[in-house]
C-alpha cells in the first residue's frame, strides 16, 4: 500500500490573491506527478515580515476565500491538501495560526498552533493566540493516518507523540522556519528526530530563503530523507510505503513499548 505525496516550498506574501493563485499552481503540479497529498507551508494565506497588525486585517474564517480556494483545487485534482493560514478570532487584534486539511468534500481536520514562536528574538505571541490543547487532529487517506503540527511545535516531542498515539503514521509539518545561526541544522535534526522516535513519515513544507531556511523534505520512518527541496521555491515528490512503517516498527518497537501516554488536558 503506497501513497504519493508532494511538499511545496513557496514564499507567501501580503497579496492574498497571488498566494491563492500560486498554491493552485503548486497543487496542480504535485497532482500531475501523481501526488494524492499536497502539503503547503505555514502562513500560506498571508505573510509579512516583521509581523504587524495587518495579520488581523487579512485574517479569514474557515468559510473564507482561502479554504474555498483550497477546496476547489483539491476537488479539481482529487487530492488532500494541508496548508497553514491566518484565521480570524473574536479578539480582533490577535489571530490564530491554523492548519486545515481539505479535500473535495471540504475541511477534514483543523489544527491551531499550540507553541508560539517566542524564541530566538521573535515574539509570535504579540500577534498570535495559541490554540487550545484539543484532541489530536488526524485524517485518513488511502490507508495512512496523517497528523498535523506547526513549525515551532516541532521542538516539543510530545506534540508528535500525541499524534502517533492517536494512530498517525505520517506527521505533516507546515512551517516558516526562520533563518538564523544553526537554524538549518536544528530544522533538519528535529525533522529526523521526530521521524526516528515515532517510526513515522515526516513531511515538512517550509518557506524559502531569505526569510525561511527552505529544505522542505519527506523523511521515512528511519529519518532518511527521501526527497527534498533546496533553498529556492519548488516541490518534492515521494512515495510513502506502509510496509516500510511495519518493518521499522518491527525492529524498533519504541512506539509500542512507551510506558507513558500523552493526553490533552
Amino acid at each position: 500500500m503506497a501513497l504519493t505525496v508532494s511538499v511545496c516550498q513557496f514564499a507567501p506574501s501580503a497579496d492574498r490573491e497571488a498566494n491563492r493563485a500560486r498554491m493552485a499552481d503548486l497543487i496542480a503540479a504535485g497532482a500531475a506527478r501523481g501526488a494524492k497529498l499536497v502539503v503547503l507551508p505555514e502562513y500560506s494565506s498571508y505573510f509579512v515580515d516583521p509581523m504587524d497588525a495587518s495579520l488581523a486585517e487579512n485574517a479569514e474564517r474557515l468559510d473564507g476565500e482561502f479554504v474555498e480556494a483550497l477546496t476547489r483545487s483539491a476537488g479539481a485534482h482529487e487530492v488532500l491538501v494541508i496548508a497553514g493560514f491566518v484565521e480570524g478570532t473574536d479578539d480582533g487584534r490577535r489571530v490564530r495560526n491554523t492548519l486545515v486539511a481539505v479535500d473535495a468534500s471540504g475541511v477534514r481536520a483543523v489544527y491551531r498552533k499550540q507553541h508560539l514562536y517566542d524564541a530566538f528574538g521573535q515574539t509570535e505571541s504579540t500577534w498570535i493566540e495559541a490554540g487550545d490543547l484539543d484532541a489530536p487532529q488526524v485524517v485518513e487517506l488511502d490507508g495512512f493516518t496523517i497528523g498535523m503540527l506547526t513549525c515551532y511545535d516541532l521542538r516539543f516531542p510530545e506534540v508528535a507523540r500525541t499524534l502517533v498515539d492517536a494512530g498517525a503514521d505520517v506527521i505533516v509539518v507546515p512551517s516558516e522556519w526562520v533563518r538564523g545561526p544553526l537554524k538549518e541544522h536544528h530544522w533538519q535534526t528535529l525533522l529526523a528526530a521526530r521521524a526516528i522516535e515515532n517510526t513515522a513519515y515526516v513531511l515538512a513544507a517550509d518557506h524559502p530563503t531569505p526569510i525561511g531556511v527552505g529544505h522542505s523534505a519527506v523523511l521515512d520512518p528511519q529519518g532518511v530523507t527521501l526527497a527534498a527541496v533546496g533553498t529556492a521555491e519548488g516541490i518534492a515528490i515521494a512515495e510513502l510505503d506502509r510496509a516500510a512503517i511495519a518493518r521499522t516498527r518491527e525492529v524498533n518497537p519504541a512506539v509500542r513499548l512507551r510506558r507513558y501516554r500523552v493526553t490533552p488536558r
Side-chain angles (χ1 to χ4, degrees), residues 12-84:
S13 70
D15 186 332
R16 289 159 54 195
E17 184 176 355
N19 293 339
R20 293 194 298 270
R22 181 67 178 130
M23 287 186 293
D25 290 342
L26 291 168
I27 293 166
R33 296 176 62 181
K36 292 299 181 182
L37 169 63
V38 178
V39 182
L40 295 154
E42 179 184 25
Y43 292 117
S44 283
S45 69
Y46 181 85
F47 184 70
V48 290
D49 179 56
M51 293 181 178
D52 58 28
S54 69
L55 286 172
E57 296 166 4
N58 288 275
E60 302 185 35
R61 300 288 183 167
L62 288 171
D63 59 357
E65 292 178 327
F66 178 79
V67 174
E68 288 179 1
L70 285 188
T71 302
R72 285 195 302 273
S73 289
H77 299 288
E78 299 182 330
V79 297
L80 177 73
V81 180
I82 296 177

Side-chain angles (χ1 to χ4, degrees), residues 7 9 149-156 160 171-175 177 183-206 213-225 227-229:
V7 293
Q9 184 164 292
L149 59 86
T150 314
C151 200
Y152 192 55
D153 287 327
L154 185 66
R155 291 183 179 272
F156 300 83
I171 300 169
V172 171
V173 192
S175 300
W177 198 266
K183 293 292 293 296
E184 292 92 341
H185 171 65
H186 292 186
W187 169 247
Q188 293 171 319
T189 299
L190 291 167
L191 291 175
R194 297 297 85 85
I196 294 166
E197 70 196 7
N198 292 295
T199 55
Y201 284 98
V202 171
L203 282 56
D206 193 25
V213 300
H215 299 292
S216 298
V218 178
L219 292 85
D220 77 3
Q222 298 266 32
V224 175
T225 299
V229 184

